[in-house]
Amino acid sequence: MRSRSVLPFFGTVLLLAGSLLLTASPASAAGGRYVALGDSYSSGEGTGDYIGSAGSCDRSNHAYPALWAAAHAPSSFAFVACSGATTTDVINNQLSALNSSTTLVSISVGGNDAGFAGAMQTCVLSGTDACLAAVSNAKSFANSKLPGLLDQVYAGIRNRAPSARVVVLDYPHLYKIGGSCSFGISDTSRSAINGAADTIDSVIAGRAAAAGFSFGDVRQNFTNHEICSADWWLNSTRIPVHESYHPNSAGHTNGYLPVFAARA
């Protein structure tokens, strides 16, 4: 009688074990060999503490890729995201970090192609009318040119890392409209800048889906943590200037990292 009860018991254990393996979290299943690609929003520019060997790429151990790698200890971690990177830079200088054994990739890119940094400079220095014109140009580029550029990057990732899980992240709204700031640019300009982020993010989401990649939208996490909110996770204009309008350490820890970790 005991042998009859033991067999079903072990059968149940095996079924449960199989179920646990099948439902393992994406992070544990896909994080063996991780490569972090992209621009300053992935490198960690804005956190104020950079890895010396990264030079002008401004990579930081406070950036979401490094935070995820520290928490999950992948068997290898290639951190090649670089401040100022465009889609062309990713193709020419970063995709070589990928290979057929890569299991996980993260990337944010597209904002520099659309001239978002230049638009921000115009908005800060040249008034509302010039800001609206610069933002309009950025949105026009995002709608007309950016899709094809992203397709090239995403195809390159898939060609070099055919089995990898790829997580594409976007950009947050920079400003809390009607927030606590009584200085700086107008709310009209702030709204336009947020609208440009929405346009770029929409293009990124569409092309990521077309490539079969996972898309992570960080805007909700940053809600009520924008510039002019009560708790900023983004830098406003600051010294050094290159850190302006980028997530700070809290933005990476609380904004980007949870979105990436849920999809990794």
Side-chain angles (χ1 to χ4, degrees):
M1 294 295 293
R2 181 174 296 176
S3 62
R4 291 180 182 177
S5 63
V6 167
L7 287 174
F9 170 76
F10 279 109
T12 301
V13 169
L14 289 172
L15 286 172
L16 287 172
S19 176
L20 288 172
L21 288 171
L22 289 172
T23 59
S25 67
S28 63
R33 297 183 179 275
Y34 171 34
V35 178
L37 309 172
D39 56 21
S40 55
Y41 277 69
S42 289
S43 74
E45 183 174 43
T47 63
D49 183 16
Y50 306 108
I51 301 166
S53 60
S56 61
C57 282
D58 289 335
R59 297 185 194 109
S60 173
N61 286 324
H62 300 290
Y64 76 86
L67 294 173
W68 189 92
H72 293 85
S75 57
S76 67
F77 172 44
F79 190 11
V80 296
C82 188
S83 173
T86 63
T87 54
T88 298
D89 294 323
V90 171
I91 290 170
N92 291 341
N93 304 321
Q94 298 183 21
L95 293 189
S96 58
L98 304 171
N99 57 51
S100 59
S101 68
T102 302
T103 57
L104 179 64
V105 178
S106 64
I107 184 169
S108 64
V109 74
N112 290 320
D113 294 84
F116 197 70
M120 283 302 308
Q121 182 177 3
T122 298
C123 291
V124 171
L125 298 177
S126 301
T128 299
D129 289 345
C131 176
L132 296 181
V135 167
S136 178
N137 288 337
K139 291 170 69 174
S140 177
F141 184 97
N143 284 320
S144 61
K145 303 293 186 182
L146 188 57
L149 296 174
L150 292 175
D151 286 348
Q152 292 178 38
V153 172
Y154 298 161
I157 292 172
R158 182 51 72 217
N159 287 339
R160 295 189 66 92
S163 301
R165 180 170 182 80
V166 182
V167 181
V168 179
L169 295 138
D170 64 355
Y171 303 98
H173 288 166
L174 292 182
Y175 289 102
K176 175 75 172 178
I177 307 304
S180 60
C181 297
S182 59
F183 57 89
I185 66 177
S186 67
D187 272 354
T188 299
S189 292
R190 292 169 181 158
S191 295
I193 291 166
N194 287 351
D198 286 335
T199 297
I200 295 170
D201 291 351
S202 178
V203 172
I204 291 171
R207 302 328 301 159
F213 295 164
S214 178
F215 172 69
D217 190 347
V218 301
R219 284 171 290 183
Q220 183 173 353
N221 276 29
F222 277 87
T223 299
N224 295 322
H225 297 286
E226 310 94 334
I227 299 168
C228 301
S229 69
D231 182 20
W232 299 14
W233 291 355
L234 295 143
N235 299 324
S236 185
T237 305
R238 62 175 292 168
I239 302 297
V241 174
H242 67 87
E243 293 187 341
S244 303
Y245 310 109
H246 286 84
N248 56 30
S249 293
H252 279 273
T253 299
N254 303 315
Y256 271 88
L257 180 60
V259 174
F260 174 60
R263 293 159 177 79

